[in-house]
Structures are given as C-alpha cells and as structure tokens.
Amino acid sequence: MADLAGDTDNLLRFRDDEAHDEPAITLDSFLNGQTNAGAVRLEAGDDARALLPSLEQLALVEVSFPSFRDGRGYSAARILREAGYAGELRAAGDVLVDQIPHMRRCGFDSFAPEAPVDSETLKRSLDRYDHHYQRAADAATPIWKLRHG
Amino acid sequence: MYQYDQYDQSMVDARVEEFRDQVKRRLAGQMTEDQFKPLRLMNGLYLQLHAYMLRVAVPYGTLSSRQMRMLGHIARKYDRGYGHFTTRQNLQFNWIKLEDAPDILAELATVEMHAIQTSGNCIRNISSDQFAGAAADEVTDPRPWAELLRQWSTFHPEFTYLPRKFKIAVIAAAEDRAAMRLHDIGIELLRKDGVLGAKIFVGGGMGRTPMISHEIRDFVTADELLSYLEACLRVYNRYGRRDNIYKARIKILLHELGPDEYRRQVEEEFAKVKTLGIDPPVAELERISAFFAPPAFETGLSDVVDRSDPDFAVWLDQNVKPHKQPGYAIVNISLKPVGGIPGDASADQIDVMADLGERYSFDELRVTHAQNIVLPHVRKADLYAVWQTLTEAGLAEANLDLISDIIACPGLDYCSLANARSIPLAQKIAERFKDLDRQRDLGELKLKISGCINACGHHHAGHIGILGVDKKGKENYQLSLGGSGAEDVSLAKITGPGFDEDGVVDAIERVTDRFVQVREPGERFLDTYRRVGFETFKEAIYG
Ligand code: SF4
C-alpha cells in the first residue's frame, strides 16, 4: 500500500506494549461505518477532535506528515493527549530525525519515518536538552516549575 | 536586564552543540540542503546572494555592553568588520562561512546570546519598545513580559513548523514605538481595575498583503497569557493556509475567517488549554521583573543642559528624548549618516557604543526597529561628553525621525529575493536632502524602502514608502504615501506608475515641496497628508 505511509520497516517505538497490527483506517471510514476499528489514520488536514468521543476504543492513531514542513500533526498529537488518549500515537511519513524530540514532547510515542533514521543521531538528539521551558504533553517538568517548585 | 540562570545557560549551550552536530552532518552529506534548510534557518542562518548571513537575536532589542562588544568581536573575527542592525531589533552578519557558524554561536553563548528562531516558520524574536524602562508614558516595563514570551516560545514543540513565520511585539505605552499593530500578534499591556494585563491584537503584518491587526481580546491577565497565546497559535497552526506561501501568514486566516469567527475558535481552544497547567505562576513573572528593576538613578540632578555649542544643540533637539527620571535623558544614536548604509555599524563603532553604554547608561543599550541604537539612561550632565565621543566615531548624525533616517532592507546588494537595490537609493535620497536645516524644517518624515514585495523595509508603514519592483528586467520603484507604524497606524497608498532610481528621488522632492506649500504651522507631513488628502500629492508628483 504505497499510498499509506504505514510502512513499518523503519518503525521506532517508545512503548513497551506490542505494536498494533490492525491496519489504520481513514478518519472518514471510521466516522462513517467502521466504528469498531481500533486504529485510525489522520491526514494532516483532518480534525483530531473528531476522535475524542472514541478514544477509549483506539489502540493506534497514526498521524500523517506529508512533508516535514507541515506542522499540523504536532497540534493533532497534543489535542489527543490533552484529551487523555493513552494508546499508541504514531508519526508517519516525512519525519526527520531532528524533529523527533519535539514530536515526543507533543505526545508521539511511535514513528514510521519514510527514510531510515540513524539511531546514534537520534539518541544524541533525544538526550540533548536536560530541561524545557514549556509544559507540553510529555512528562518533563517545565523550567519555571523547577525554579519555583 | 535579564541574566541567565543555569537553565537558560544550559539551553543555549546545548543548542550550540546541536547545531554543530547538524552542520557536521550536512557537510558530511548525511542531510540534503532541503532537509538542512529549516534547521539552519531556525538558527538564523540564511543563504544569501554571496555568502551565508547569520542573524543574531537581540531579545526585545536590549543589550549589555558586554554583549555589544561581542558583536563587534564577531564582526572582526568572522565577518568583514561590520554588522547590520535590523528592523526586528536584531543584528545580521552578511559574510559568514557555514563552517564558522557553530563557533560563532558558541562565542555568543558565553555572553548569554544566541541566534535561536531568528528565522524559519516559528515564533521569532519578541520585539518591544526601545524606550522601555525609560519612557515617561509607560504603564510598566514591557520587557519582563517579553522575556517570559521568549522563554515560552524557545523550542516550542508544537509551534516550530507553523505555516509561516510568526512575529510578536509587546508594548506598554500609549505611543507605539514598535509597530505593534503590524505584527502577527501585538500585545499592549495596560491596567484594568488596578490589575496589569494584556490586550491582544492578531493578524497584522506587512508583506504583499499588508494588514492592520484586529483586537481579539480586550484583557488577559498574566497568569493566563501563555494559555491564551497557545490557543491563538494552535488555531493558526491547524487552519492557517499551507498551500500558498503568500497566503500563509495569520493575517490571511483572520481575513478569511473574519475576526469574530477566529476569536470564537480561540476562545473555545482557550477554555481547554487554560486547564492544562501550562501557565507559569505569577512568581515567575516577578522573578524576571526583578532583573528589570530601575537602575540606581541619582536624585536631585539638574535638568539644565548647556546649549552653547550649536552643533550639539541641534543633536540635542533632534536625537535626545525625555526620560521619566529627572536629570536623565534618552539618547538615540543614528546609524543613518549621509552616504552610509542604513543600520550598518563598524566593529569600532560597535565598541564605541558599548563603551558609552557602560560608562554613561548603566551598561545598557537598545536596538530600535528603525535600525538605530539607544542609550536609554544618560545623565543630562553627561550628554555633551557622549555627543563628543559619538562625533569622533561618526555617530552623531542629528537626523532621528527625519527624511534621511531611512529604514531600508538589504535589497539587491545582498538579498536573493530582491527586485531592486534599496541601499544605493537610500543613499541618493539622503544625499538629495543632506542639508540638515532643510530636513529639520520638513520635520518628522518616515521614509522606508523595501527591495521587493516581502516588505522587510516596512514600506507600507512609511509616511513615504518605496517598493522596488522589476519592470521588464529593470529596477523600478513604486512610491506610496501616508503609512504609519505608530499608534496612528495606517497603510500607505501607491501613488501611481513607478520610477527609475533618479526619478523616484525627484518624485519625493515634489512631494516634500508640495508639503511645504500646503502645510499648516506645527503639522507633520503625515498630518498634512491626512488633512489635504492623497490627490494633492498625486497631482504634485504626476502633474
Ligand atoms: S524586502 Fe525583499 S529584497 Fe528586501 S530584504 Fe526583504 S526579501 Fe529581500
């Protein structure tokens, strides 16, 4: 399925559970019929909020990045995490190694980049910053909290 | 001014190493130029016509003398001995080698400086009032709020790949010296029932479709400001256009949705975001504010200044502004000498200004969006000594806000997007009007030049604006009139067919001649223009 970036050759996961193997269906199919599905794929322009009533049943949400310049998926991820989604959240498509740290902070815990990611480079960039200024969707304590307790 | 703690310092240090790593991978061919581009842009590194340009952030335009000296040092060591102050209150080096960029960032980090987010489709350097902390008309010093926003926006994980660049300005005075209404988000601090808070304007900007921002919320308190801004940005990140680079700024989203619908969406988002605990406690704003406490002003100083040197008196009247503290004044250093390049300063001049800041202005300098430098807190008794030093350094041009105090973008001399040159035109105009008595007779006249439709030279906001266009392969200049970036904000209107370089200088002179004929006592050019209207001037230009 070349048109789906669900190509898992380069899959990177930051979760302990088993990868969900049911293929993700489109938001349209999910909303109009296949309402039992456990995996949904959001295109960059899809409204992540449409999934909020069904978060309990979802094990995988895949968010598409058609181009690394298209940052809509970062907001989609945060919206899902802010609403309490705890399943796998996968960034798929044109995902570059230097973007993964930010994506992690937005709540993504799985990555299916089109081009392979060098694991050494990734490790370096994930370890690079000890702290962050903002509160985001990850567990990091923001710097203002460290300053004021 | 603000001082880094260990968290701030480790952030910029890590950034240096990150960029070093990225440059290494690029040079080793592990990244394509296309993939590297957004990374280098987020570190302020542009590829220009002849070399790399590095844009260094000067947060809200405030610098210490030590930081200023570092800029001079970098100009000497890595560039050709000068730097260029920009309309975003930043500084650009135009002749940088990619291999040197990580070392330059490392040197900057030693004085608490960086180039983070000075370009790219992210939240850019926060701009503010260059007279902050010194102006008599301010409600509060806007810089602590700007610093809070600097930290919040630094490596914001959600808003680093926005549809387009994003500019925020914060002011706290009735007089708008930061072109606040022409920013993606403009914040005006004010007091409501004794409480300080922010009025939020969204959707201003220049570029090919200039727009004045809309008031989106009349008041947000400090403890909810970041939530509110996240809501503003999130609506934009999700729905701003990504299909056409010229329609990608938030002003187009506001225009297409309408301010009411945009506001509704933001409020809906805000209702959720503000429950997430992303706002720092007010203690954080207080912590930052302590760094901006007024310096130890002397009291009981005289306000009398000896005006017996006539050249000094002219400079005093033109470039020195009132300070809120008796016995002190605000000194504006013009970087617009006749024949010079607007906004450029040599490394030696940078050092002179740094020394003056240290000796006479509590170790502080400011960069203005009009590409000049400010010494914010100078004792009146020291003004003459300051002026003498500036005169020796070629920095005492007494033309603040006059026709030769031109804002000009780099234009075709540097910029790969340009249609026409800006700098030589600015020089010609300054030359034509070089008689200072004539300039002072014309009074406040803000002339702004952009070398292409991207409007980096703010021509839409010029009392007189000039836009370089390409006319069948030839440089051509469109003239427009009546813009303002101040509290009386307005967009300039194009007069008619364009001109060649000499033609546009003549046309400007026809405009100023007509102004002199029709003005009433005490009127600025802009006042007369607004009173008598566009046609009078159009007729003067085209006959
Ligand atoms: S206005 Fe155009 S020519 Fe001037 S700096 Fe901006 S992009 Fe370059």
Side-chain angles (χ1 to χ4, degrees):
Chain A
M1 290 222 268
D3 58 334
L4 283 191
D7 166 9
T8 46
D9 291 355
N10 301 319
L11 189 64
L12 297 160
R13 292 178 90 246
F14 294 81
R15 298 177 65 90
D16 296 332
D17 56 355
E18 280 293 300
H20 192 78
D21 54 10
E22 175 193 3
I25 62 168
T26 66
L27 178 64
D28 237 20
S29 316
F30 181 72
L31 297 176
N32 302 301
Q34 290 174 258
T35 46
N36 299 325
V40 176
R41 172 182 169 83
L42 293 177
E43 296 306 326
D46 287 343
D47 181 6
R49 288 227 155 78
L51 291 179
L52 298 194
S54 330
L55 293 181
E56 291 285 306
Q57 81 184 63
L58 292 175
L60 170 66
V61 177
E62 188 173 285
V63 178
S64 154
F65 286 83
S67 144
F68 70 83
R69 294 168 199 282
D70 188 331
R72 286 176 284 186
Y74 295 83
S75 289
R78 281 194 73 170
I79 286 168
L80 294 172
R81 290 301 189 209
E82 284 165 11
Y85 175 64
E88 181 168 343
L89 188 51
R90 182 179 297 169
D94 195 7
V95 171
L96 306 180
V97 62
D98 294 279
Q99 299 183 304
I100 290 179
H102 277 175
M103 289 180 168
R104 293 281 293 127
R105 298 210 67 215
C106 288
F108 286 107
D109 53 11
S110 140
F111 301 88
E114 266 160 24
V117 157
D118 177 62
S119 60
E120 274 306 302
T121 310
L122 177 62
K123 189 175 173 333
R124 276 203 309 278
S125 73
L126 284 171
D127 291 343
R128 182 151 279 127
Y129 293 96
D130 293 336
H131 302 292
H132 304 283
Y133 281 122
Q134 324 75 2
R135 185 175 315 275
D138 58 351
T141 305
I143 287 172
W144 52 259
K145 180 94 179 142
L146 297 170
R147 282 173 179 150
H148 298 281
Chain B
M1 40 181 292
Y2 188 68
Q3 276 166 19
Y4 283 7
D5 65 3
Q6 85 257 29
Y7 299 111
D8 301 304
Q9 189 63 48
S10 79
M11 193 69 79
V12 293
D13 290 343
R15 179 55 151 188
V16 173
E17 288 321 306
E18 179 174 45
F19 192 57
R20 203 180 283 288
D21 187 72
Q22 290 167 345
V23 169
K24 204 162 88 198
R25 281 186 281 136
R26 171 67 190 125
L27 292 173
Q30 291 166 17
M31 252 192 281
T32 65
E33 172 56 22
D34 192 47
Q35 291 170 341
F36 180 56
K37 189 175 165 191
L39 303 176
R40 68 170 161 75
L41 283 181
M42 264 172 258
N43 267 301
L45 199 63
Y46 281 82
L47 191 53
Q48 291 200 320
L49 280 178
H50 313 291
Y52 279 99
M53 176 270 274
L54 178 70
R55 186 181 291 152
V56 177
V58 181
Y60 34 90
T62 295
L63 284 165
S64 68
S65 293
R66 187 168 73 116
Q67 292 174 325
M68 188 74 161
R69 268 188 211 106
M70 175 57 81
L71 298 177
H73 164 72
I74 290 169
R76 264 188 210 100
K77 182 163 169 194
Y78 300 98
D79 200 285
R80 296 186 175 176
Y82 59 92
H84 178 76
F85 290 95
T86 78
T87 56
R88 296 285 312 151
Q89 302 176 290
N90 291 324
L91 177 113
Q92 292 176 188
F93 293 113
N94 280 314
W95 305 95
I96 294 299
K97 291 196 199 69
L98 177 58
E99 307 83 278
D100 287 340
D103 291 339
I104 299 174
L105 296 183
E107 296 222 39
L108 288 169
T110 64
V111 295
E112 307 183 1
M113 294 185 86
H114 58 75
I116 295 165
Q117 290 167 214
T118 53
S119 75
N121 292 337
C122 51
I123 302 171
R124 300 289 189 87
N125 184 36
I126 314 291
S127 55
S128 188
D129 185 344
Q130 67 267 20
F131 294 169
D137 62 343
E138 73 183 10
V139 176
T140 185
D141 189 330
R143 292 173 301 162
W145 298 63
E147 174 61 27
L148 188 76
L149 298 185
R150 182 190 75 82
Q151 296 188 21
W152 160 73
S153 60
T154 297
F155 309 139
H156 197 292
E158 187 176 345
F159 305 130
T160 298
Y161 293 88
L162 294 167
R164 201 74 177 87
K165 58 189 169 184
F166 204 90
K167 300 178 179 179
I168 301 178
V170 190
I171 66 167
E175 193 178 330
D176 178 3
R177 287 171 284 259
M180 181 273 286
R181 296 291 303 279
L182 296 170
H183 281 73
D184 295 285
I185 290 185
I187 297 176
E188 182 183 355
L189 302 179
L190 42 84
R191 228 175 261 285
K192 196 170 162 185
D193 305 325
V195 180
L196 259 184
K199 184 184 273 199
I200 311 287
F201 297 87
V202 183
M206 296 196 238
R208 74 176 54 201
T209 323
M211 291 188 189
I212 295 168
S213 59
H214 304 269
E215 183 183 323
I216 293 299
R217 202 174 218 265
D218 69 343
F219 200 70
V220 192
T221 48
D223 58 338
E224 292 189 334
L225 179 65
L226 298 189
S227 289
Y228 193 77
L229 295 179
E230 292 229 353
C232 290
L233 264 299
R234 182 175 285 177
V235 171
Y236 170 55
N237 191 41
R238 300 184 76 205
Y239 299 112
R241 287 182 60 172
R242 291 173 187 268
D243 59 328
N244 180 341
I245 184 176
Y246 299 115
K247 301 202 158 141
R249 295 289 288 270
I250 195 172
K251 63 192 173 189
I252 304 292
L253 178 68
L254 263 281
H255 183 70
E256 289 180 354
L257 289 178
D260 291 337
E261 174 58 17
Y262 174 76
R263 181 183 300 113
R264 190 193 64 72
Q265 293 188 17
V266 169
E267 289 294 332
E268 205 176 287
E269 198 67 57
F270 177 51
K272 301 185 185 84
V273 173
K274 71 180 177 188
T275 64
L276 301 171
I278 66 165
D279 288 288
V282 172
E284 175 62 359
L285 184 59
E286 286 166 358
R287 182 190 73 89
I288 297 171
S289 297
F291 290 105
F292 294 94
F297 292 124
E298 290 171 51
T299 52
L301 294 179
S302 161
D303 277 316
V304 178
V305 180
D306 177 358
R307 302 172 53 92
S308 50
D309 183 330
D311 290 338
F312 170 65
V314 168
W315 176 82
L316 188 66
D317 291 340
Q318 201 60 48
N319 286 30
V320 178
K321 299 286 171 194
H323 197 283
K324 64 180 176 192
Q325 180 73 21
Y328 284 83
I330 302 172
V331 167
N332 289 273
I333 303 173
S334 167
L335 299 182
K336 319 288 177 65
V338 172
I341 295 176
D344 270 18
S346 70
D348 292 345
Q349 289 177 323
I350 288 173
D351 284 348
V352 167
M353 294 188 277
D355 291 346
L356 287 173
E358 184 169 26
R359 178 140 182 230
Y360 296 111
S361 184
F362 294 96
D363 204 23
E364 240 190 89
L365 302 107
R366 310 286 175 78
V367 184
T368 84
H369 88 272
Q371 306 177 282
N372 293 317
I373 301 294
V374 168
L375 301 174
H377 314 294
V378 180
R379 291 192 326 178
K380 287 187 175 160
D382 293 329
L383 287 170
Y384 192 68
V386 168
W387 175 77
Q388 283 179 313
T389 306
L390 289 174
T391 304
E392 278 164 34
L395 289 167
E397 196 80 16
N399 63 348
L400 188 79
D401 294 336
L402 300 181
I403 192 167
S404 64
D405 183 7
I406 296 168
I407 293 183
C409 79
L412 200 51
D413 293 296
Y414 295 98
C415 175
S416 49
L417 302 170
N419 288 321
R421 289 168 302 158
S422 308
I423 294 166
L425 177 60
Q427 290 168 332
K428 265 197 180 159
I429 296 167
E431 186 61 38
R432 176 74 60 97
F433 289 90
K434 72 167 182 265
D435 176 12
L436 192 56
D437 290 337
R438 181 180 180 199
Q439 288 191 51
R440 298 191 73 215
D441 175 61
L442 292 172
E444 180 186 300
L445 216 170
K446 299 195 176 177
L447 197 147
K448 309 189 187 205
I449 308 173
S450 304
C452 83
I453 195 90
N454 289 322
C456 305
H458 297 184
H459 66 279
H460 301 296
H463 298 177
I464 297 179
I466 298 170
L467 167 65
V469 292
D470 176 279
K471 197 175 165 201
K472 301 193 189 107
K474 283 218 171 89
E475 293 169 71
N476 194 266
Y477 296 95
Q478 259 176 15
L479 191 62
S480 51
L481 299 174
S484 169
E487 60 286 357
D488 57 354
V489 63
S490 60
L491 299 172
K493 191 170 161 191
I494 296 172
T495 56
F499 305 90
D500 65 12
E501 195 175 281
D502 289 321
V504 77
V505 183
D506 293 339
I508 291 166
E509 199 163 28
R510 291 197 287 276
V511 169
T512 57
D513 286 349
R514 177 60 57 97
F515 163 59
V516 170
Q517 286 163 7
V518 300
R519 69 180 165 187
E520 286 181 354
E523 272 184 345
R524 302 173 303 161
F525 170 77
L526 189 63
D527 304 325
T528 306
Y529 172 86
R530 286 179 176 166
R531 179 174 55 78
V532 305
F534 175 76
E535 291 302 326
T536 311
F537 288 98
K538 185 170 177 177
E539 198 261 329
I541 297 168
Y542 298 99

